Amino acid sequence: MRPDVVSFWHGPLDRLRLTCLRSQVAAGHKVTVYSFDPLPGLPDGVGNAEAEAILPHAFSEKLRPPGPDGSWHGWTILQFSDFFRMRLMTERAGVWLDADVLLLKPIEIDPAKPYFAWERPRQLGNSVLYLPPDDPIVRAFEGLMKQEELTPEWLALRHRVVFALRRLRGVSDRLSDIRISLYGPPAITALARRAGELQYALPKQSFYAVHAEPKLFFEPRDFSKLLGNPDVIGLHISPKGRGHEAPIPGSLYAWAAEKFR
């Protein structure tokens, strides 16, 4: 089955993300980006849907208070998206792709099975994610989201200790402040292990070949072996602030910008 592709975005999209969205359309997927405000300049074939209907904006206040002007700050966007993608799984919306996933070929899933990949040796990524709506991971997040304090029952002991110390010192009484990826890849990995679902994980090369080394994407080099690798389905870029930069000639980014324009 070739699923729809869904994601969430808050704020303006940079040129890298627009290139990646074009690649997802070019792979033959129906692509929808959810947002609270309209997203101008979306590529042809990319739809824009209202995020409030999936997860209310007010949920972000469980993560941390908004700024004086009502804006999000710190890790709010990233952590909100960790919950948003789970809500999309509940809604049977499709496969989640981060907006900075460059898709090189179509994604095919079995709707009855999880679809994710190893990001590093002992951790799954959640930049590419599909879970059946009744999956134990989805159910665990549904239970978590009913809490005001958002404290996972699967929380690792080291995180419990860190949180307890921060509360004693008066640093923060919100668990969401202790680690940016608290509800992301570590949570997915722990829950998949508990549910016996690590067997479904694709190899790292499927989506995370350049994730930890952005220079492999942004700097000039020979990328022919990467593109010729049959195990590579797409590339999660992790731009590290370089999303607005113009592509450098001879880079994989320049190749992608030309191919998906």
Side-chain angles (χ1 to χ4, degrees):
M1 170 186 170
R2 184 173 299 181
D4 293 346
V5 166
V6 290
S7 63
F8 167 80
W9 194 258
H10 191 66
L13 285 154
D14 58 34
R15 60 196 302 169
L16 170 67
R17 270 78 178 195
L18 293 174
T19 297
C20 290
L21 290 172
R22 292 188 190 100
S23 76
Q24 296 167 15
V25 173
H29 293 276
K30 176 185 177 182
V31 180
T32 302
V33 181
Y34 289 80
S35 63
F36 290 111
D37 299 309
L39 294 173
L42 284 173
D44 292 343
V46 178
N48 188 198
E50 175 54 58
E52 187 74 18
I54 302 298
L55 184 61
H57 188 283
F59 181 83
S60 67
E61 297 179 18
K62 290 186 177 184
L63 296 167
R64 58 191 52 80
D69 60 353
S71 63
W72 289 354
H73 61 92
W75 306 336
T76 305
I77 293 176
L78 291 173
Q79 291 183 336
F80 185 89
S81 74
D82 290 335
F83 289 96
F84 197 90
R85 71 196 71 193
M86 288 299 172
R87 286 293 304 140
L88 289 173
M89 298 302 107
T90 303
E91 297 292 325
R92 305 174 188 266
V95 62
W96 169 282
L97 293 185
D98 278 7
D100 51 9
V101 172
L102 186 78
L103 207 52
L104 302 177
K105 61 185 70 171
I107 289 175
E108 302 287 344
I109 68 168
D110 178 342
K113 298 178 181 179
Y115 187 91
F116 40 52
W118 292 107
E119 179 184 290
R120 56 187 67 173
R122 291 183 296 277
Q123 181 171 286
L124 298 173
N126 71 343
S127 301
V128 179
L129 181 69
Y130 167 79
L131 296 167
D134 60 348
D135 188 89
I137 299 174
V138 176
R139 292 201 304 268
F141 266 84
E142 286 177 342
L144 176 63
M145 292 170 70
K146 294 175 182 177
Q147 300 180 16
E148 284 301 316
E149 66 278 7
L150 297 179
T151 302
E153 45 89 9
W154 63 86
L155 190 65
L157 176 60
R158 67 181 184 279
H159 292 148
R160 294 181 186 276
V161 171
V162 169
F163 182 47
L165 291 174
R166 288 173 66 90
R167 295 186 72 172
L168 284 172
R169 295 168 182 165
V171 176
S172 173
D173 61 356
R174 291 179 184 250
L175 183 71
S176 55
D177 287 335
I178 72 169
R179 188 177 181 187
I180 188 170
S181 62
L182 184 67
Y183 306 110
I188 299 292
T189 306
L191 290 170
R193 179 177 293 110
R194 188 171 74 178
E197 295 182 342
L198 295 180
Q199 60 180 310
Y200 297 115
L202 297 171
K204 176 183 176 181
Q205 286 293 107
S206 59
F207 289 103
Y208 297 101
V210 303
H211 167 74
E213 298 181 84
K215 65 182 180 180
L216 297 179
F217 183 77
F218 289 101
E219 303 296 331
R221 63 185 57 245
D222 180 6
F223 47 81
S224 57
K225 288 185 179 179
L226 185 63
L227 294 182
N229 187 335
D231 293 332
V232 176
I233 301 170
L235 301 169
H236 179 232
I237 309 302
S238 188
K240 308 297 184 186
R242 303 183 65 171
H244 290 286
E245 295 181 6
I248 300 174
S251 67
L252 182 52
Y253 185 16
W255 172 88
E258 175 63 24
K259 183 174 178 62
F260 306 112
R261 59 178 179 173

